[in-house]
Amino acid sequence: QKEVEQNSGPLSVPEGAIASLNCTYSDRGSQSFFWYRQYSGKSPELIMFIYSNGDKEDGRFTAQLNKASQYVSLLIRDSQPSDSATYLCAVNVRSQGNLIFGKGTKLSVKP
Amino acid sequence: DTGVSQNPRHKITKRGQNVTFRCDPISEHNRLYWYRQTLGQGPEFLTYFQNEAQLEKSRLLSDRFSAERPKGSFSTLEIQRTEQGDSAMYLCASSLVGPNEQFFGPGTRLTVL
């Protein structure tokens, strides 16, 4: 059973703080890793992807991947109330086209 | 707006009726995916196409579900004899072959009464 696990939250952080979202996955054949943001009632929006071990930065977002520990994380710096949403971690396993999603972590940024 | 469109956006139907949803992917994307999402869950994979070929189907996709992508452009997802358990958001996504960054459409919310 291929699984992607996320803490459902809610994770509450004050405005301007760093939000740290975590995800673990079970299949060592996983090759690529994605973070989606989903506002209530809307569809998922791709915000970051990472394929290699280490960090990848894009604006206020940093994705971190550790394949040995089967762990991927998303850091959001200078969190804003508009970042309040559910963040979905998704994994693509080699030879498969589909993504396997976690249940998401709900983030709340308080002004 | 990702460039992926879905119609209708909302569908209310009675149990036992058939429904069909349409997805138009980003024009240069040759892969098209269907997912289903229920409240509090992440999207669950249903099926995907590369051009017009249906390459993979989930075990979630019962015999009542069928999907087509006849000319490798838009796709339709049909649910026959709908059941209350089919109520969900049906999401379509598209990507290029190789990089698997998938971009989602706005979804079709199905309510089965």
PDB file of all heavy atoms in Angstrom, chain A residues 34 36 38 41 43-44 46 49 51 88 92 96-99 101-103, chain B residues 31 33 35 37 41-43 45 48 56 91 100-106:
ATOM      1  N   PHE A  34       5.517  16.869  -4.738  1.00  0.00           N
ATOM      2  CA  PHE A  34       4.797  18.085  -5.069  1.00  0.00           C
ATOM      3  C   PHE A  34       4.065  18.617  -3.843  1.00  0.00           C
ATOM      4  O   PHE A  34       3.594  17.840  -3.003  1.00  0.00           O
ATOM      5  CB  PHE A  34       3.763  17.797  -6.185  1.00  0.00           C
ATOM      6  CG  PHE A  34       4.369  17.196  -7.415  1.00  0.00           C
ATOM      7  CD1 PHE A  34       4.579  15.832  -7.516  1.00  0.00           C
ATOM      8  CD2 PHE A  34       4.757  17.997  -8.471  1.00  0.00           C
ATOM      9  CE1 PHE A  34       5.147  15.265  -8.648  1.00  0.00           C
ATOM     10  CE2 PHE A  34       5.330  17.447  -9.610  1.00  0.00           C
ATOM     11  CZ  PHE A  34       5.531  16.080  -9.695  1.00  0.00           C
ATOM     12  N   TYR A  36       0.812  21.146  -3.117  1.00  0.00           N
ATOM     13  CA  TYR A  36      -0.320  21.874  -3.651  1.00  0.00           C
ATOM     14  C   TYR A  36      -0.978  22.650  -2.509  1.00  0.00           C
ATOM     15  O   TYR A  36      -1.054  22.174  -1.376  1.00  0.00           O
ATOM     16  CB  TYR A  36      -1.353  20.921  -4.259  1.00  0.00           C
ATOM     17  CG  TYR A  36      -0.964  20.314  -5.592  1.00  0.00           C
ATOM     18  CD1 TYR A  36      -0.129  19.200  -5.657  1.00  0.00           C
ATOM     19  CD2 TYR A  36      -1.434  20.860  -6.787  1.00  0.00           C
ATOM     20  CE1 TYR A  36       0.220  18.647  -6.882  1.00  0.00           C
ATOM     21  CE2 TYR A  36      -1.089  20.302  -8.012  1.00  0.00           C
ATOM     22  CZ  TYR A  36      -0.259  19.193  -8.050  1.00  0.00           C
ATOM     23  OH  TYR A  36       0.086  18.655  -9.266  1.00  0.00           O
ATOM     24  N   GLN A  38      -4.640  24.329  -1.413  1.00  0.00           N
ATOM     25  CA  GLN A  38      -6.056  24.225  -1.748  1.00  0.00           C
ATOM     26  C   GLN A  38      -6.861  25.088  -0.793  1.00  0.00           C
ATOM     27  O   GLN A  38      -6.920  24.825   0.407  1.00  0.00           O
ATOM     28  CB  GLN A  38      -6.534  22.773  -1.698  1.00  0.00           C
ATOM     29  CG  GLN A  38      -7.960  22.590  -2.206  1.00  0.00           C
ATOM     30  CD  GLN A  38      -8.354  21.130  -2.351  1.00  0.00           C
ATOM     31  OE1 GLN A  38      -7.868  20.260  -1.641  1.00  0.00           O
ATOM     32  NE2 GLN A  38      -9.248  20.855  -3.297  1.00  0.00           N
ATOM     33  N   GLY A  41     -13.190  24.916  -0.945  1.00  0.00           N
ATOM     34  CA  GLY A  41     -14.111  24.941  -2.076  1.00  0.00           C
ATOM     35  C   GLY A  41     -13.447  25.091  -3.439  1.00  0.00           C
ATOM     36  O   GLY A  41     -14.141  25.124  -4.456  1.00  0.00           O
ATOM     37  N   SER A  43      -9.987  24.067  -6.223  1.00  0.00           N
ATOM     38  CA  SER A  43      -9.178  22.923  -6.618  1.00  0.00           C
ATOM     39  C   SER A  43      -7.724  23.131  -6.204  1.00  0.00           C
ATOM     40  O   SER A  43      -7.312  24.256  -5.895  1.00  0.00           O
ATOM     41  CB  SER A  43      -9.281  22.723  -8.130  1.00  0.00           C
ATOM     42  OG  SER A  43      -8.748  23.824  -8.819  1.00  0.00           O
ATOM     43  N   PRO A  44      -6.926  22.075  -6.172  1.00  0.00           N
ATOM     44  CA  PRO A  44      -5.514  22.212  -5.769  1.00  0.00           C
ATOM     45  C   PRO A  44      -4.716  23.049  -6.766  1.00  0.00           C
ATOM     46  O   PRO A  44      -4.903  22.930  -7.983  1.00  0.00           O
ATOM     47  CB  PRO A  44      -5.016  20.762  -5.754  1.00  0.00           C
ATOM     48  CG  PRO A  44      -6.247  19.927  -5.600  1.00  0.00           C
ATOM     49  CD  PRO A  44      -7.308  20.658  -6.329  1.00  0.00           C
ATOM     50  N   LEU A  46      -0.750  23.985  -7.779  1.00  0.00           N
ATOM     51  CA  LEU A  46       0.640  23.573  -7.621  1.00  0.00           C
ATOM     52  C   LEU A  46       1.502  24.757  -7.189  1.00  0.00           C
ATOM     53  O   LEU A  46       1.498  25.802  -7.847  1.00  0.00           O
ATOM     54  CB  LEU A  46       1.161  23.002  -8.937  1.00  0.00           C
ATOM     55  CG  LEU A  46       2.607  22.525  -8.958  1.00  0.00           C
ATOM     56  CD1 LEU A  46       2.819  21.350  -8.011  1.00  0.00           C
ATOM     57  CD2 LEU A  46       3.022  22.141 -10.379  1.00  0.00           C
ATOM     58  N   PHE A  49       7.572  21.895  -6.552  1.00  0.00           N
ATOM     59  CA  PHE A  49       7.905  20.511  -6.825  1.00  0.00           C
ATOM     60  C   PHE A  49       9.402  20.333  -6.614  1.00  0.00           C
ATOM     61  O   PHE A  49      10.180  21.276  -6.760  1.00  0.00           O
ATOM     62  CB  PHE A  49       7.498  20.077  -8.236  1.00  0.00           C
ATOM     63  CG  PHE A  49       8.076  20.918  -9.334  1.00  0.00           C
ATOM     64  CD1 PHE A  49       9.296  20.606  -9.907  1.00  0.00           C
ATOM     65  CD2 PHE A  49       7.382  22.025  -9.803  1.00  0.00           C
ATOM     66  CE1 PHE A  49       9.817  21.374 -10.925  1.00  0.00           C
ATOM     67  CE2 PHE A  49       7.894  22.802 -10.820  1.00  0.00           C
ATOM     68  CZ  PHE A  49       9.124  22.482 -11.384  1.00  0.00           C
ATOM     69  N   TYR A  51      12.640  17.201  -7.004  1.00  0.00           N
ATOM     70  CA  TYR A  51      12.991  15.875  -7.501  1.00  0.00           C
ATOM     71  C   TYR A  51      14.258  15.318  -6.843  1.00  0.00           C
ATOM     72  O   TYR A  51      14.467  14.112  -6.828  1.00  0.00           O
ATOM     73  CB  TYR A  51      13.212  15.903  -9.015  1.00  0.00           C
ATOM     74  CG  TYR A  51      12.016  16.348  -9.818  1.00  0.00           C
ATOM     75  CD1 TYR A  51      12.180  17.158 -10.945  1.00  0.00           C
ATOM     76  CD2 TYR A  51      10.724  15.969  -9.474  1.00  0.00           C
ATOM     77  CE1 TYR A  51      11.090  17.559 -11.692  1.00  0.00           C
ATOM     78  CE2 TYR A  51       9.631  16.375 -10.211  1.00  0.00           C
ATOM     79  CZ  TYR A  51       9.822  17.177 -11.328  1.00  0.00           C
ATOM     80  OH  TYR A  51       8.734  17.582 -12.061  1.00  0.00           O
ATOM     81  N   LEU A  88      -1.480  20.196   0.433  1.00  0.00           N
ATOM     82  CA  LEU A  88      -1.463  18.777   0.069  1.00  0.00           C
ATOM     83  C   LEU A  88      -0.079  18.381  -0.419  1.00  0.00           C
ATOM     84  O   LEU A  88       0.493  19.038  -1.288  1.00  0.00           O
ATOM     85  CB  LEU A  88      -2.471  18.522  -1.058  1.00  0.00           C
ATOM     86  CG  LEU A  88      -3.943  18.776  -0.750  1.00  0.00           C
ATOM     87  CD1 LEU A  88      -4.743  18.896  -2.039  1.00  0.00           C
ATOM     88  CD2 LEU A  88      -4.497  17.654   0.108  1.00  0.00           C
ATOM     89  N   ASN A  92       4.898  11.046  -6.770  1.00  0.00           N
ATOM     90  CA  ASN A  92       4.808  10.263  -7.996  1.00  0.00           C
ATOM     91  C   ASN A  92       5.791   9.105  -7.918  1.00  0.00           C
ATOM     92  O   ASN A  92       6.980   9.307  -7.675  1.00  0.00           O
ATOM     93  CB  ASN A  92       5.132  11.154  -9.193  1.00  0.00           C
ATOM     94  CG  ASN A  92       5.089  10.412 -10.508  1.00  0.00           C
ATOM     95  OD1 ASN A  92       6.026  10.440 -11.284  1.00  0.00           O
ATOM     96  ND2 ASN A  92       3.997   9.731 -10.756  1.00  0.00           N
ATOM     97  N   GLN A  96       4.679   5.187 -12.817  1.00  0.00           N
ATOM     98  CA  GLN A  96       3.264   5.490 -12.741  1.00  0.00           C
ATOM     99  C   GLN A  96       3.045   6.955 -13.079  1.00  0.00           C
ATOM    100  O   GLN A  96       3.869   7.798 -12.774  1.00  0.00           O
ATOM    101  CB  GLN A  96       2.730   5.188 -11.342  1.00  0.00           C
ATOM    102  CG  GLN A  96       2.771   3.711 -10.990  1.00  0.00           C
ATOM    103  CD  GLN A  96       2.164   3.448  -9.632  1.00  0.00           C
ATOM    104  OE1 GLN A  96       1.827   4.373  -8.905  1.00  0.00           O
ATOM    105  NE2 GLN A  96       2.018   2.190  -9.284  1.00  0.00           N
ATOM    106  N   GLY A  97       1.913   7.236 -13.708  1.00  0.00           N
ATOM    107  CA  GLY A  97       1.640   8.618 -14.052  1.00  0.00           C
ATOM    108  C   GLY A  97       0.916   9.378 -12.967  1.00  0.00           C
ATOM    109  O   GLY A  97       1.026  10.587 -12.875  1.00  0.00           O
ATOM    110  N   ASN A  98       0.161   8.636 -12.129  1.00  0.00           N
ATOM    111  CA  ASN A  98      -0.692   9.334 -11.179  1.00  0.00           C
ATOM    112  C   ASN A  98       0.088   9.815  -9.969  1.00  0.00           C
ATOM    113  O   ASN A  98       1.170   9.322  -9.655  1.00  0.00           O
ATOM    114  CB  ASN A  98      -1.817   8.413 -10.706  1.00  0.00           C
ATOM    115  CG  ASN A  98      -1.279   7.165 -10.026  1.00  0.00           C
ATOM    116  OD1 ASN A  98      -0.673   6.321 -10.684  1.00  0.00           O
ATOM    117  ND2 ASN A  98      -1.458   7.048  -8.715  1.00  0.00           N
ATOM    118  N   LEU A  99      -0.464  10.793  -9.299  1.00  0.00           N
ATOM    119  CA  LEU A  99       0.067  11.269  -8.027  1.00  0.00           C
ATOM    120  C   LEU A  99      -0.717  10.617  -6.894  1.00  0.00           C
ATOM    121  O   LEU A  99      -1.917  10.376  -7.002  1.00  0.00           O
ATOM    122  CB  LEU A  99      -0.074  12.785  -7.929  1.00  0.00           C
ATOM    123  CG  LEU A  99       0.692  13.616  -8.954  1.00  0.00           C
ATOM    124  CD1 LEU A  99       0.446  15.100  -8.721  1.00  0.00           C
ATOM    125  CD2 LEU A  99       2.173  13.288  -8.921  1.00  0.00           C
ATOM    126  N   PHE A 101      -1.746  11.386  -3.100  1.00  0.00           N
ATOM    127  CA  PHE A 101      -1.862  12.548  -2.237  1.00  0.00           C
ATOM    128  C   PHE A 101      -2.019  12.147  -0.778  1.00  0.00           C
ATOM    129  O   PHE A 101      -2.630  11.127  -0.468  1.00  0.00           O
ATOM    130  CB  PHE A 101      -3.104  13.372  -2.626  1.00  0.00           C
ATOM    131  CG  PHE A 101      -2.937  14.203  -3.854  1.00  0.00           C
ATOM    132  CD1 PHE A 101      -3.127  13.668  -5.113  1.00  0.00           C
ATOM    133  CD2 PHE A 101      -2.602  15.546  -3.746  1.00  0.00           C
ATOM    134  CE1 PHE A 101      -2.975  14.435  -6.244  1.00  0.00           C
ATOM    135  CE2 PHE A 101      -2.452  16.336  -4.880  1.00  0.00           C
ATOM    136  CZ  PHE A 101      -2.631  15.777  -6.129  1.00  0.00           C
ATOM    137  N   GLY A 102      -1.479  12.995   0.110  1.00  0.00           N
ATOM    138  CA  GLY A 102      -1.840  12.918   1.503  1.00  0.00           C
ATOM    139  C   GLY A 102      -3.198  13.587   1.715  1.00  0.00           C
ATOM    140  O   GLY A 102      -3.781  14.149   0.792  1.00  0.00           O
ATOM    141  N   LYS A 103      -3.657  13.535   2.971  1.00  0.00           N
ATOM    142  CA  LYS A 103      -4.957  14.133   3.273  1.00  0.00           C
ATOM    143  C   LYS A 103      -4.884  15.635   3.440  1.00  0.00           C
ATOM    144  O   LYS A 103      -5.920  16.312   3.495  1.00  0.00           O
ATOM    145  CB  LYS A 103      -5.531  13.502   4.543  1.00  0.00           C
ATOM    146  CG  LYS A 103      -5.902  12.039   4.374  1.00  0.00           C
ATOM    147  CD  LYS A 103      -6.552  11.488   5.625  1.00  0.00           C
ATOM    148  CE  LYS A 103      -6.963  10.033   5.421  1.00  0.00           C
ATOM    149  NZ  LYS A 103      -7.640   9.474   6.618  1.00  0.00           N
TER     150      LYS A 103
ATOM    151  N   ARG B  31      -0.880  14.542 -21.424  1.00  0.00           N
ATOM    152  CA  ARG B  31      -1.421  13.654 -20.383  1.00  0.00           C
ATOM    153  C   ARG B  31      -2.602  14.332 -19.699  1.00  0.00           C
ATOM    154  O   ARG B  31      -2.556  15.535 -19.423  1.00  0.00           O
ATOM    155  CB  ARG B  31      -0.348  13.305 -19.359  1.00  0.00           C
ATOM    156  CG  ARG B  31       0.598  12.225 -19.842  1.00  0.00           C
ATOM    157  CD  ARG B  31       1.445  11.697 -18.719  1.00  0.00           C
ATOM    158  NE  ARG B  31       2.223  10.534 -19.152  1.00  0.00           N
ATOM    159  CZ  ARG B  31       3.120   9.916 -18.400  1.00  0.00           C
ATOM    160  NH1 ARG B  31       3.351  10.348 -17.162  1.00  0.00           N
ATOM    161  NH2 ARG B  31       3.770   8.868 -18.858  1.00  0.00           N
ATOM    162  N   TYR B  33      -5.563  13.553 -16.527  1.00  0.00           N
ATOM    163  CA  TYR B  33      -5.836  12.728 -15.357  1.00  0.00           C
ATOM    164  C   TYR B  33      -7.218  13.070 -14.787  1.00  0.00           C
ATOM    165  O   TYR B  33      -7.628  14.221 -14.809  1.00  0.00           O
ATOM    166  CB  TYR B  33      -4.815  12.989 -14.249  1.00  0.00           C
ATOM    167  CG  TYR B  33      -3.375  12.941 -14.692  1.00  0.00           C
ATOM    168  CD1 TYR B  33      -2.788  14.025 -15.323  1.00  0.00           C
ATOM    169  CD2 TYR B  33      -2.593  11.821 -14.453  1.00  0.00           C
ATOM    170  CE1 TYR B  33      -1.469  13.990 -15.722  1.00  0.00           C
ATOM    171  CE2 TYR B  33      -1.262  11.784 -14.847  1.00  0.00           C
ATOM    172  CZ  TYR B  33      -0.710  12.873 -15.477  1.00  0.00           C
ATOM    173  OH  TYR B  33       0.604  12.829 -15.873  1.00  0.00           O
ATOM    174  N   TYR B  35      -9.268  12.664 -11.087  1.00  0.00           N
ATOM    175  CA  TYR B  35      -9.205  12.361  -9.666  1.00  0.00           C
ATOM    176  C   TYR B  35     -10.574  12.631  -9.053  1.00  0.00           C
ATOM    177  O   TYR B  35     -11.379  13.388  -9.588  1.00  0.00           O
ATOM    178  CB  TYR B  35      -8.184  13.256  -8.945  1.00  0.00           C
ATOM    179  CG  TYR B  35      -6.738  13.042  -9.315  1.00  0.00           C
ATOM    180  CD1 TYR B  35      -6.181  13.661 -10.429  1.00  0.00           C
ATOM    181  CD2 TYR B  35      -5.917  12.234  -8.533  1.00  0.00           C
ATOM    182  CE1 TYR B  35      -4.848  13.469 -10.758  1.00  0.00           C
ATOM    183  CE2 TYR B  35      -4.578  12.047  -8.844  1.00  0.00           C
ATOM    184  CZ  TYR B  35      -4.050  12.674  -9.958  1.00  0.00           C
ATOM    185  OH  TYR B  35      -2.724  12.480 -10.270  1.00  0.00           O
ATOM    186  N   GLN B  37     -12.265  13.760  -5.186  1.00  0.00           N
ATOM    187  CA  GLN B  37     -11.928  14.239  -3.847  1.00  0.00           C
ATOM    188  C   GLN B  37     -13.183  14.394  -3.010  1.00  0.00           C
ATOM    189  O   GLN B  37     -14.141  15.039  -3.444  1.00  0.00           O
ATOM    190  CB  GLN B  37     -11.175  15.578  -3.915  1.00  0.00           C
ATOM    191  CG  GLN B  37     -10.656  16.037  -2.561  1.00  0.00           C
ATOM    192  CD  GLN B  37      -9.852  17.323  -2.649  1.00  0.00           C
ATOM    193  OE1 GLN B  37     -10.027  18.117  -3.569  1.00  0.00           O
ATOM    194  NE2 GLN B  37      -8.946  17.522  -1.694  1.00  0.00           N
ATOM    195  N   GLN B  41     -10.324  14.727   2.526  1.00  0.00           N
ATOM    196  CA  GLN B  41      -9.389  13.787   1.915  1.00  0.00           C
ATOM    197  C   GLN B  41      -8.605  14.460   0.809  1.00  0.00           C
ATOM    198  O   GLN B  41      -9.050  15.464   0.246  1.00  0.00           O
ATOM    199  CB  GLN B  41     -10.145  12.589   1.324  1.00  0.00           C
ATOM    200  CG  GLN B  41     -11.013  11.844   2.315  1.00  0.00           C
ATOM    201  CD  GLN B  41     -10.215  11.149   3.383  1.00  0.00           C
ATOM    202  OE1 GLN B  41      -9.200  10.505   3.105  1.00  0.00           O
ATOM    203  NE2 GLN B  41     -10.656  11.274   4.627  1.00  0.00           N
ATOM    204  N   GLY B  42      -7.445  13.889   0.492  1.00  0.00           N
ATOM    205  CA  GLY B  42      -6.735  14.350  -0.683  1.00  0.00           C
ATOM    206  C   GLY B  42      -7.362  13.757  -1.934  1.00  0.00           C
ATOM    207  O   GLY B  42      -8.150  12.804  -1.856  1.00  0.00           O
ATOM    208  N   PRO B  43      -7.037  14.291  -3.094  1.00  0.00           N
ATOM    209  CA  PRO B  43      -7.554  13.713  -4.343  1.00  0.00           C
ATOM    210  C   PRO B  43      -7.130  12.255  -4.485  1.00  0.00           C
ATOM    211  O   PRO B  43      -6.001  11.891  -4.156  1.00  0.00           O
ATOM    212  CB  PRO B  43      -6.918  14.597  -5.426  1.00  0.00           C
ATOM    213  CG  PRO B  43      -6.629  15.896  -4.737  1.00  0.00           C
ATOM    214  CD  PRO B  43      -6.253  15.519  -3.341  1.00  0.00           C
ATOM    215  N   PHE B  45      -6.747   9.151  -7.226  1.00  0.00           N
ATOM    216  CA  PHE B  45      -6.581   8.908  -8.657  1.00  0.00           C
ATOM    217  C   PHE B  45      -7.664   7.977  -9.184  1.00  0.00           C
ATOM    218  O   PHE B  45      -8.002   6.969  -8.558  1.00  0.00           O
ATOM    219  CB  PHE B  45      -5.210   8.291  -8.891  1.00  0.00           C
ATOM    220  CG  PHE B  45      -4.988   7.763 -10.270  1.00  0.00           C
ATOM    221  CD1 PHE B  45      -4.824   8.627 -11.352  1.00  0.00           C
ATOM    222  CD2 PHE B  45      -4.944   6.398 -10.498  1.00  0.00           C
ATOM    223  CE1 PHE B  45      -4.613   8.129 -12.623  1.00  0.00           C
ATOM    224  CE2 PHE B  45      -4.731   5.895 -11.761  1.00  0.00           C
ATOM    225  CZ  PHE B  45      -4.561   6.760 -12.833  1.00  0.00           C
ATOM    226  N   TYR B  48      -5.902   7.835 -16.108  1.00  0.00           N
ATOM    227  CA  TYR B  48      -5.222   8.851 -16.897  1.00  0.00           C
ATOM    228  C   TYR B  48      -4.979   8.392 -18.325  1.00  0.00           C
ATOM    229  O   TYR B  48      -4.957   7.199 -18.629  1.00  0.00           O
ATOM    230  CB  TYR B  48      -3.940   9.336 -16.218  1.00  0.00           C
ATOM    231  CG  TYR B  48      -2.651   8.617 -16.542  1.00  0.00           C
ATOM    232  CD1 TYR B  48      -1.812   9.068 -17.560  1.00  0.00           C
ATOM    233  CD2 TYR B  48      -2.235   7.538 -15.774  1.00  0.00           C
ATOM    234  CE1 TYR B  48      -0.603   8.442 -17.814  1.00  0.00           C
ATOM    235  CE2 TYR B  48      -1.038   6.906 -16.032  1.00  0.00           C
ATOM    236  CZ  TYR B  48      -0.212   7.357 -17.040  1.00  0.00           C
ATOM    237  OH  TYR B  48       0.981   6.730 -17.296  1.00  0.00           O
ATOM    238  N   GLU B  56      -3.859   3.918 -17.480  1.00  0.00           N
ATOM    239  CA  GLU B  56      -3.988   3.351 -16.146  1.00  0.00           C
ATOM    240  C   GLU B  56      -5.371   3.658 -15.577  1.00  0.00           C
ATOM    241  O   GLU B  56      -5.917   4.727 -15.814  1.00  0.00           O
ATOM    242  CB  GLU B  56      -2.909   3.930 -15.232  1.00  0.00           C
ATOM    243  CG  GLU B  56      -2.727   3.185 -13.928  1.00  0.00           C
ATOM    244  CD  GLU B  56      -1.516   3.680 -13.145  1.00  0.00           C
ATOM    245  OE1 GLU B  56      -0.651   4.338 -13.746  1.00  0.00           O
ATOM    246  OE2 GLU B  56      -1.463   3.419 -11.940  1.00  0.00           O
ATOM    247  N   LEU B  91     -12.058  16.020 -10.216  1.00  0.00           N
ATOM    248  CA  LEU B  91     -10.994  16.909 -10.654  1.00  0.00           C
ATOM    249  C   LEU B  91     -10.290  16.356 -11.885  1.00  0.00           C
ATOM    250  O   LEU B  91     -10.025  15.161 -11.964  1.00  0.00           O
ATOM    251  CB  LEU B  91      -9.961  17.085  -9.541  1.00  0.00           C
ATOM    252  CG  LEU B  91     -10.446  17.784  -8.271  1.00  0.00           C
ATOM    253  CD1 LEU B  91      -9.495  17.512  -7.123  1.00  0.00           C
ATOM    254  CD2 LEU B  91     -10.579  19.272  -8.506  1.00  0.00           C
ATOM    255  N   ASN B 100       6.213  15.735 -14.400  1.00  0.00           N
ATOM    256  CA  ASN B 100       4.865  15.320 -14.021  1.00  0.00           C
ATOM    257  C   ASN B 100       4.161  16.383 -13.214  1.00  0.00           C
ATOM    258  O   ASN B 100       3.331  16.079 -12.367  1.00  0.00           O
ATOM    259  CB  ASN B 100       4.920  13.999 -13.251  1.00  0.00           C
ATOM    260  CG  ASN B 100       3.593  13.262 -13.296  1.00  0.00           C
ATOM    261  OD1 ASN B 100       2.734  13.565 -14.124  1.00  0.00           O
ATOM    262  ND2 ASN B 100       3.412  12.335 -12.392  1.00  0.00           N
ATOM    263  N   GLU B 101       4.492  17.639 -13.486  1.00  0.00           N
ATOM    264  CA  GLU B 101       3.769  18.704 -12.801  1.00  0.00           C
ATOM    265  C   GLU B 101       2.359  18.760 -13.362  1.00  0.00           C
ATOM    266  O   GLU B 101       2.162  19.063 -14.542  1.00  0.00           O
ATOM    267  CB  GLU B 101       4.472  20.047 -13.006  1.00  0.00           C
ATOM    268  CG  GLU B 101       5.830  20.132 -12.335  1.00  0.00           C
ATOM    269  CD  GLU B 101       6.954  20.028 -13.338  1.00  0.00           C
ATOM    270  OE1 GLU B 101       7.026  20.881 -14.239  1.00  0.00           O
ATOM    271  OE2 GLU B 101       7.757  19.083 -13.236  1.00  0.00           O
ATOM    272  N   GLN B 102       1.405  18.426 -12.518  1.00  0.00           N
ATOM    273  CA  GLN B 102       0.018  18.340 -12.947  1.00  0.00           C
ATOM    274  C   GLN B 102      -0.726  19.589 -12.509  1.00  0.00           C
ATOM    275  O   GLN B 102      -0.634  20.011 -11.359  1.00  0.00           O
ATOM    276  CB  GLN B 102      -0.635  17.091 -12.352  1.00  0.00           C
ATOM    277  CG  GLN B 102       0.031  15.808 -12.830  1.00  0.00           C
ATOM    278  CD  GLN B 102      -0.649  14.560 -12.320  1.00  0.00           C
ATOM    279  OE1 GLN B 102      -1.784  14.590 -11.854  1.00  0.00           O
ATOM    280  NE2 GLN B 102       0.058  13.437 -12.410  1.00  0.00           N
ATOM    281  N   PHE B 103      -1.485  20.138 -13.449  1.00  0.00           N
ATOM    282  CA  PHE B 103      -2.243  21.356 -13.211  1.00  0.00           C
ATOM    283  C   PHE B 103      -3.724  21.011 -13.240  1.00  0.00           C
ATOM    284  O   PHE B 103      -4.199  20.411 -14.212  1.00  0.00           O
ATOM    285  CB  PHE B 103      -1.894  22.417 -14.264  1.00  0.00           C
ATOM    286  CG  PHE B 103      -0.450  22.827 -14.190  1.00  0.00           C
ATOM    287  CD1 PHE B 103       0.507  22.149 -14.934  1.00  0.00           C
ATOM    288  CD2 PHE B 103      -0.055  23.852 -13.359  1.00  0.00           C
ATOM    289  CE1 PHE B 103       1.850  22.503 -14.847  1.00  0.00           C
ATOM    290  CE2 PHE B 103       1.282  24.222 -13.273  1.00  0.00           C
ATOM    291  CZ  PHE B 103       2.232  23.547 -14.019  1.00  0.00           C
ATOM    292  N   PHE B 104      -4.412  21.425 -12.191  1.00  0.00           N
ATOM    293  CA  PHE B 104      -5.801  21.034 -12.016  1.00  0.00           C
ATOM    294  C   PHE B 104      -6.772  22.069 -12.574  1.00  0.00           C
ATOM    295  O   PHE B 104      -6.523  23.277 -12.523  1.00  0.00           O
ATOM    296  CB  PHE B 104      -6.115  20.833 -10.529  1.00  0.00           C
ATOM    297  CG  PHE B 104      -5.594  19.530  -9.987  1.00  0.00           C
ATOM    298  CD1 PHE B 104      -4.295  19.427  -9.526  1.00  0.00           C
ATOM    299  CD2 PHE B 104      -6.410  18.408  -9.948  1.00  0.00           C
ATOM    300  CE1 PHE B 104      -3.806  18.221  -9.033  1.00  0.00           C
ATOM    301  CE2 PHE B 104      -5.939  17.200  -9.458  1.00  0.00           C
ATOM    302  CZ  PHE B 104      -4.630  17.115  -9.001  1.00  0.00           C
ATOM    303  N   GLY B 105      -7.889  21.565 -13.061  1.00  0.00           N
ATOM    304  CA  GLY B 105      -9.007  22.412 -13.396  1.00  0.00           C
ATOM    305  C   GLY B 105      -9.799  22.753 -12.151  1.00  0.00           C
ATOM    306  O   GLY B 105      -9.461  22.300 -11.048  1.00  0.00           O
ATOM    307  N   PRO B 106     -10.886  23.528 -12.318  1.00  0.00           N
ATOM    308  CA  PRO B 106     -11.663  23.971 -11.153  1.00  0.00           C
ATOM    309  C   PRO B 106     -12.508  22.874 -10.520  1.00  0.00           C
ATOM    310  O   PRO B 106     -12.988  23.037  -9.400  1.00  0.00           O
ATOM    311  CB  PRO B 106     -12.548  25.081 -11.725  1.00  0.00           C
ATOM    312  CG  PRO B 106     -12.660  24.753 -13.174  1.00  0.00           C
ATOM    313  CD  PRO B 106     -11.363  24.133 -13.568  1.00  0.00           C
TER     314      PRO B 106
END
